[in-house]
Protein backbone atom coordinates (compact mmCIF):
# COMPACT_ATOMS: atom_id res chain seq x y z
CA UNK A 1 0.00 0.00 0.00
CA UNK A 2 1.23 3.50 -0.89
CA UNK A 3 -0.24 6.47 1.03
CA UNK A 4 0.74 9.92 -0.22
CA UNK A 5 -0.08 12.91 2.00
CA UNK A 6 0.89 16.29 0.63
CA UNK A 7 0.00 19.65 -0.84
CA UNK A 8 0.91 18.62 -4.37
CA UNK A 9 3.20 16.46 -6.47
CA UNK A 10 5.94 19.01 -7.08
CA UNK A 11 7.18 20.09 -10.48
CA UNK A 12 7.23 16.55 -11.89
CA UNK A 13 3.50 15.82 -11.64
CA UNK A 14 3.50 13.93 -14.95
CA UNK A 15 6.31 11.65 -13.79
CA UNK A 16 4.53 11.12 -10.48
CA UNK A 17 1.29 10.18 -12.23
CA UNK A 18 3.15 7.74 -14.48
CA UNK A 19 4.69 6.02 -11.46
CA UNK A 20 1.31 5.79 -9.75
CA UNK A 21 -0.02 4.11 -12.88
CA UNK A 22 2.84 1.60 -12.83
CA UNK A 23 2.21 0.85 -9.15
CA UNK A 24 -1.49 0.29 -9.79
CA UNK A 25 -0.73 -2.03 -12.71
CA UNK A 26 1.41 -4.10 -10.34
CA UNK A 27 -1.52 -4.45 -7.97
CA UNK A 28 -0.29 -1.93 -5.40
CA UNK A 29 -3.03 0.00 -3.60
CA UNK A 30 -2.44 3.77 -3.80
CA UNK A 31 -4.14 6.34 -1.57
CA UNK A 32 -3.73 10.10 -1.97
CA UNK A 33 -4.55 12.61 0.77
CA UNK A 34 -4.63 15.86 -1.22
CA UNK A 35 -4.02 18.80 1.12
CA UNK A 36 -4.89 22.38 0.19
CA UNK A 37 -5.59 23.96 -3.18
CA UNK A 38 -2.39 22.81 -4.87
CA UNK A 39 -4.33 20.03 -6.55
CA UNK A 40 -6.56 20.13 -9.61
CA UNK A 41 -9.67 18.46 -8.22
CA UNK A 42 -10.78 16.81 -11.46
CA UNK A 43 -7.32 15.25 -11.87
CA UNK A 44 -7.03 13.62 -8.46
CA UNK A 45 -7.80 10.28 -10.08
CA UNK A 46 -4.39 10.40 -11.80
CA UNK A 47 -2.60 10.17 -8.47
CA UNK A 48 -4.46 7.34 -6.73
CA UNK A 49 -6.50 4.22 -7.28
CA UNK A 50 -10.06 4.09 -8.53
CA UNK A 51 -12.68 5.10 -7.68
CA UNK A 52 -11.40 8.47 -6.53
CA UNK A 53 -14.16 8.66 -3.90
CA UNK A 54 -12.39 5.85 -2.06
CA UNK A 55 -8.71 6.40 -2.79
CA UNK A 56 -8.50 10.22 -2.99
CA UNK A 57 -9.22 12.27 0.13
CA UNK A 58 -9.20 16.06 -0.46
CA UNK A 59 -8.43 18.02 2.74
CA UNK A 60 -8.54 21.82 3.05
CA UNK A 61 -5.40 22.15 5.19
CA UNK A 62 -2.94 20.19 7.30
CA UNK A 63 -4.64 20.91 10.68
CA UNK A 64 -7.63 18.93 9.40
CA UNK A 65 -5.46 15.81 9.21
CA UNK A 66 -6.78 14.72 12.58
CA UNK A 67 -9.31 12.18 13.75
CA UNK A 68 -11.97 12.37 10.98
CA UNK A 69 -9.56 12.10 8.07
CA UNK A 70 -7.02 9.80 9.71
CA UNK A 71 -9.73 7.49 11.01
CA UNK A 72 -11.36 7.36 7.59
CA UNK A 73 -8.06 6.53 5.95
CA UNK A 74 -7.26 3.86 8.53
CA UNK A 75 -10.69 2.31 8.10
CA UNK A 76 -10.33 2.16 4.33
CA UNK A 77 -6.84 0.69 4.41
CA UNK A 78 -7.74 -1.91 7.02
CA UNK A 79 -11.00 -2.92 5.41
CA UNK A 80 -10.18 -3.83 1.84
CA UNK A 81 -13.33 -5.85 1.19
CA UNK A 82 -14.72 -7.41 -2.03
CA UNK A 83 -15.33 -4.72 -4.61
CA UNK A 84 -17.37 -4.61 -7.79
CA UNK A 85 -15.94 -3.89 -11.23
CA UNK A 86 -16.37 -0.14 -10.72
CA UNK A 87 -14.30 -0.28 -7.54
CA UNK A 88 -17.18 0.00 -5.07
CA UNK A 89 -17.97 -2.38 -2.20
CA UNK A 90 -20.46 -5.11 -2.93
CA UNK A 91 -23.83 -3.68 -1.86
CA UNK A 92 -24.94 -5.45 1.31
CA UNK A 93 -28.37 -3.88 1.71
CA UNK A 94 -31.31 -6.22 1.12
CA UNK A 95 -33.60 -3.27 0.35
CA UNK A 96 -34.49 -3.78 -3.34
CA UNK A 97 -36.42 -0.57 -4.06
CA UNK A 98 -36.96 2.65 -2.10
CA UNK A 99 -36.78 6.43 -2.23
CA UNK A 100 -34.36 7.60 0.47
CA UNK A 101 -33.83 11.21 1.51
CA UNK A 102 -30.76 11.84 3.66
CA UNK A 103 -30.89 14.99 5.80
CA UNK A 104 -27.38 16.14 6.70
CA UNK A 105 -26.96 18.73 9.46
CA UNK A 106 -24.68 21.53 8.27
CA UNK A 107 -25.26 23.90 11.19
CA UNK A 108 -22.45 25.64 13.06
CA UNK A 109 -22.91 23.42 16.12
CA UNK A 110 -21.81 20.39 14.11
CA UNK A 111 -18.26 21.79 13.52
CA UNK A 112 -16.33 21.30 10.30
CA UNK A 113 -14.53 18.17 11.52
CA UNK A 114 -17.75 16.42 12.49
CA UNK A 115 -19.30 17.47 9.20
CA UNK A 116 -16.52 15.62 7.36
CA UNK A 117 -17.13 12.58 9.53
CA UNK A 118 -20.87 12.75 8.85
CA UNK A 119 -20.21 12.88 5.11
CA UNK A 120 -18.06 9.76 5.37
CA UNK A 121 -20.88 8.02 7.23
CA UNK A 122 -23.35 9.05 4.54
CA UNK A 123 -20.99 7.78 1.84
CA UNK A 124 -20.61 4.45 3.62
CA UNK A 125 -24.38 4.12 3.85
CA UNK A 126 -24.81 4.95 0.17
CA UNK A 127 -22.11 2.47 -0.80
CA UNK A 128 -24.18 -0.32 0.75
CA UNK A 129 -27.39 0.52 -1.14
CA UNK A 130 -28.52 -1.09 -4.38
CA UNK A 131 -28.78 2.22 -6.22
CA UNK A 132 -30.18 1.99 -9.73
CA UNK A 133 -32.80 3.26 -12.15
CA UNK A 134 -35.44 0.80 -10.96
CA UNK A 135 -33.99 0.13 -7.54
CA UNK A 136 -32.99 2.52 -4.74
CA UNK A 137 -33.03 6.28 -5.38
CA UNK A 138 -31.19 8.66 -3.04
CA UNK A 139 -31.51 12.40 -2.42
CA UNK A 140 -29.28 14.51 -0.16
CA UNK A 141 -30.45 17.63 1.66
CA UNK A 142 -28.12 19.71 3.82
CA UNK A 143 -29.76 21.94 6.37
CA UNK A 144 -28.99 24.57 8.97
CA UNK A 145 -31.26 27.61 9.30
CA UNK A 146 -32.28 26.86 5.72
CA UNK A 147 -32.33 23.85 3.43
CA UNK A 148 -30.10 23.12 0.46
CA UNK A 149 -30.94 20.32 -1.96
CA UNK A 150 -27.56 18.82 -2.83
CA UNK A 151 -29.20 16.44 -5.32
CA UNK A 152 -32.76 15.12 -5.85
CA UNK A 153 -33.98 11.53 -6.04
CA UNK A 154 -33.80 11.36 -9.82
CA UNK A 155 -30.37 12.94 -10.29
CA UNK A 156 -28.15 9.84 -10.07
CA UNK A 157 -28.81 6.19 -10.82
CA UNK A 158 -25.47 4.65 -9.85
CA UNK A 159 -23.53 4.50 -6.60
CA UNK A 160 -20.34 6.11 -7.86
CA UNK A 161 -22.18 9.26 -8.98
CA UNK A 162 -23.97 9.46 -5.63
CA UNK A 163 -20.69 9.13 -3.70
CA UNK A 164 -19.04 11.84 -5.77
CA UNK A 165 -22.00 14.15 -5.23
CA UNK A 166 -21.86 13.60 -1.46
CA UNK A 167 -18.16 14.51 -1.56
CA UNK A 168 -19.01 17.82 -3.22
CA UNK A 169 -21.31 18.96 -0.40
CA UNK A 170 -19.73 21.93 1.40
CA UNK A 171 -20.35 22.92 5.01
CA UNK A 172 -23.14 25.52 5.31
CA UNK A 173 -22.96 26.83 8.93
CA UNK A 174 -25.96 28.47 10.60
CA UNK A 175 -28.69 27.57 13.08
CA UNK A 176 -30.17 24.09 13.46
CA UNK A 177 -33.71 23.94 12.03
CA UNK A 178 -34.41 20.20 12.01
CA UNK A 179 -38.18 20.64 11.72
CA UNK A 180 -37.71 22.79 8.64
CA UNK A 181 -35.58 20.08 7.05
CA UNK A 182 -38.12 17.35 7.77
CA UNK A 183 -40.93 19.47 6.34
CA UNK A 184 -38.89 20.20 3.22
CA UNK A 185 -38.17 16.50 2.69
CA UNK A 186 -41.80 15.53 3.17
CA UNK A 187 -43.42 18.27 1.11
CA UNK A 188 -40.81 18.96 -1.55
CA UNK A 189 -38.27 16.18 -2.07
CA UNK A 190 -40.89 13.44 -1.77
CA UNK A 191 -43.24 15.18 -4.22
CA UNK A 192 -44.06 13.57 -7.54
CA UNK A 193 -42.87 16.70 -9.32
CA UNK A 194 -39.36 15.98 -8.00
CA UNK A 195 -39.45 12.36 -9.08
CA UNK A 196 -40.64 10.58 -5.94
CA UNK A 197 -42.29 7.26 -6.74
CA UNK A 198 -45.66 6.11 -5.42
CA UNK A 199 -44.98 2.37 -5.40
CA UNK A 200 -41.84 2.22 -3.22
CA UNK A 201 -41.12 2.81 0.48
CA UNK A 202 -40.16 6.38 1.39
CA UNK A 203 -37.39 6.68 3.97
CA UNK A 204 -35.83 9.69 5.68
CA UNK A 205 -32.41 9.33 7.32
CA UNK A 206 -31.54 12.24 9.61
CA UNK A 207 -28.00 13.05 10.77
CA UNK A 208 -27.94 15.92 13.24
CA UNK A 209 -25.99 17.28 16.19
CA UNK A 210 -29.12 18.01 18.24
Amino acid sequence: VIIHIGAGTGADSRNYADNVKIALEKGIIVYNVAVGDGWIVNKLSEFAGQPETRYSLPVANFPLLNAPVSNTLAYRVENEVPYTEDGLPVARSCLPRADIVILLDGSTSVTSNNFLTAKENVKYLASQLQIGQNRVHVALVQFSGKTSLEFPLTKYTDRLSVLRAIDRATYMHGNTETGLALKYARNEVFSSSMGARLDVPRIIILLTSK
Side-chain angles (χ1 to χ4, degrees):
V1 177
I2 296 174
I3 301 174
H4 174 247
I5 301 175
T9 61
D12 61 342
S13 60
R14 185 68 269 156
N15 183 48
Y16 181 84
D18 289 342
N19 280 280
V20 167
K21 183 178 180 180
I22 292 171
L24 293 172
E25 289 173 348
K26 292 181 178 294
I28 299 172
I29 297 169
V30 182
Y31 286 87
N32 179 31
V33 181
V35 182
D37 57 6
W39 296 86
I40 300 175
V41 174
N42 62 2
K43 290 191 175 183
L44 286 178
S45 59
E46 295 184 16
F47 306 106
Q50 289 292 319
E52 63 186 70
T53 50
R54 176 177 175 83
Y55 294 102
S56 296
L57 287 81
V59 182
N61 52 56
F62 281 101
L64 289 179
L65 290 173
N66 50 23
V69 174
S70 60
N71 287 349
T72 296
L73 182 61
Y75 176 83
R76 292 182 183 183
V77 172
E78 293 173 2
N79 292 273
E80 289 290 340
V81 296
Y83 275 67
T84 58
E85 290 183 359
D86 59 4
L88 296 177
V90 174
R92 301 180 186 276
S93 170
C94 60
L95 187 66
R97 301 180 75 227
D99 283 349
I100 300 176
V101 177
I102 301 172
L103 301 179
L104 178 61
D105 190 349
S107 59
T108 302
S109 60
V110 171
T111 75
S112 57
N113 286 348
N114 287 334
F115 182 76
L116 291 175
T117 301
K119 283 209 305 182
E120 287 299 322
N121 291 334
V122 172
K123 285 167 59 180
Y124 176 77
L125 169 66
S127 74
Q128 301 301 305
L129 298 173
Q130 299 182 41
I131 296 172
Q133 181 66 48
N134 297 309
R135 301 183 75 82
V136 176
H137 292 183
V138 176
L140 177 65
V141 175
Q142 186 182 167
F143 70 94
S144 56
K146 59 182 180 180
T147 57
S148 174
L149 180 61
E150 302 291 345
F151 55 88
L153 290 164
T154 55
K155 180 70 173 180
Y156 304 112
T157 56
D158 65 275
R159 287 188 297 164
L160 184 56
S161 296
V162 168
L163 295 179
R164 285 174 171 166
I166 294 169
D167 260 337
R168 290 193 293 269
T170 57
Y171 186 30
M172 291 174 62
H173 298 278
N175 297 325
T176 307
E177 297 287 347
T178 307
L180 177 68
L182 289 168
K183 182 178 180 180
Y184 178 74
R186 184 178 68 252
N187 295 341
E188 301 294 335
V189 188
F190 276 140
S191 66
S192 57
S193 63
M194 292 190 69
R197 296 170 289 180
L198 298 176
D199 60 342
V200 301
R202 295 181 176 183
I203 300 169
I204 292 177
I205 298 174
L206 172 65
L207 290 87
T208 181
S209 65
K210 294 183 178 180

